[in-house]
């Protein structure tokens, strides 16, 4: 949904475009040619920019589209296919990752930072602060997966081990940002209390 609830956006399976629908007028809106590998981050806070991951004639990248014209504003490249693209809570940054690299971009198209990982599985922005939870293998030789929390300068503020669960299907913050939920070892949901973003303040429960 757009912020004013006036538009819907989606992409069909292997369709090369993101489709949009004007709810009030009940008619199609712009089709965004983001390629058949497109992922959707959606609109910014005031509904003037729509963000996707995907590809066009210039190659792969994070693509920003003017709204409601649907014209391409800019593309953040180089960036390989990004299975998950998301806005920061203040809408000043966009995150995307490949299998082993996280990249954070400013909305003006300039890179904020990039971090190499052994593997990345999932990202989740804090709902109120510019903090990003990254789930994967931070250290190449680590036998288990970790969740790392970093800020928009790339500085680590917390890290903890989440066990030998390589196929995490859920990583979500609570609405107030105090809890981080994920499915851990043995298909159990686990909750970690973030506290004041220091490692010693994490508490776990299952």
């Amino acid at each position: 949904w757009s912020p004013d609830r006036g538009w819907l956006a989606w992409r069909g399976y292997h369709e090369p475009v993101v489709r949009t629908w004007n709810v009030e007028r009940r008619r199609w809106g712009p089709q965004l040619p983001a390629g058949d590998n497109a992922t959707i981050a959606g609109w910014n806070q005031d509904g003037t920019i729509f963000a996707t991951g995907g590809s066009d004639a210039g190659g792969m990248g994070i693509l920003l589209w003017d709204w409601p014209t649907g014209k391409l504003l800019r593309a953040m490249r180089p960036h390989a296919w990004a299975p998950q693209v998301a806005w920061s809570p203040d809408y000043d940054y966009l995150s995307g990752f490949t299998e082993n690299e996280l990249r954070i971009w400013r909305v003006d198209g300039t890179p904020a930072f990039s971090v190499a990982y052994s593997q990345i599985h999932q990202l989740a922005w804090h709902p109120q602060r510019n903090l990003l939870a990254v789930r994967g293998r931070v250290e190449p030789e680590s036998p288990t997966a970790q969740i790392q929390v970093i800020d928009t300068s790339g500085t680590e503020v917390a890290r903890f081990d989440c066990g030998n669960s390589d196929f995490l299907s859920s990583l979500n913050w609570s609405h107030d940002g105090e809890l981080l939920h994920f499915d851990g070892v043995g298909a159990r949901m686990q909750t970690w209390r973030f506290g004041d973003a220091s490692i010693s303040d994490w508490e776990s429960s299952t």
Side-chain angles (χ1 to χ4, degrees), residues 5-203:
R5 303 297 182 186
W7 293 91
L8 279 169
W10 72 94
R11 185 182 72 86
Y13 183 65
H14 279 313
E15 280 194 318
V17 297
V18 174
R19 300 182 183 274
T20 63
W21 177 259
N22 187 303
V23 177
E24 182 179 354
R25 296 182 179 182
R26 297 187 178 184
R27 68 184 188 188
W28 296 104
Q31 293 188 15
L32 310 179
D36 59 9
N37 54 5
T39 52
I40 297 175
W43 285 269
N44 65 344
Q45 195 168 23
D46 61 8
T48 59
I49 299 175
F50 188 90
T52 70
S55 61
D56 61 5
M60 292 187 177
I62 294 179
L63 311 177
L64 299 185
W65 310 84
D66 178 70
W67 200 259
T69 67
K71 295 180 179 180
L72 184 65
L73 281 174
R74 65 186 63 94
M76 286 83 146
R77 312 186 209 272
H79 204 303
W81 177 67
Q84 183 184 357
V85 177
W87 290 99
S88 63
D90 62 2
Y91 294 91
D92 287 339
Y93 299 89
L94 280 155
S95 62
F97 73 93
T98 61
E99 182 180 356
N100 55 12
E101 185 180 30
L102 166 68
R103 291 192 178 188
I104 305 295
W105 300 85
R106 299 180 184 89
V107 180
D108 64 5
T110 58
F113 70 91
S114 63
V115 181
Y117 290 83
S118 178
Q119 280 183 315
I120 303 176
H121 300 122
Q122 208 164 7
L123 307 177
W125 282 99
H126 190 282
Q128 300 168 2
R129 301 164 61 187
N130 277 354
L131 298 174
L132 184 64
V134 184
R135 194 271 176 180
R137 293 184 184 270
V138 180
E139 302 293 340
E141 303 303 321
S142 174
T144 61
Q146 297 88 36
I147 292 177
Q148 182 185 44
V149 180
I150 58 176
D151 63 21
T152 49
S153 70
T155 301
E156 178 181 281
V157 296
R159 186 197 301 188
F160 62 89
D161 188 277
C162 56
N164 249 338
S165 177
D166 283 337
F167 300 100
L168 185 76
S169 60
S170 177
L171 178 65
N172 297 288
W173 293 93
S174 60
H175 291 298
D176 59 10
E178 293 186 3
L179 304 174
L180 186 62
H181 308 286
F182 65 97
D183 55 346
V185 177
R188 296 180 303 174
M189 289 301 298
Q190 294 186 329
T191 299
W192 290 78
R193 185 171 299 279
F194 188 61
D196 66 355
S198 64
I199 295 175
S200 61
D201 286 330
W202 287 90
E203 300 173 0

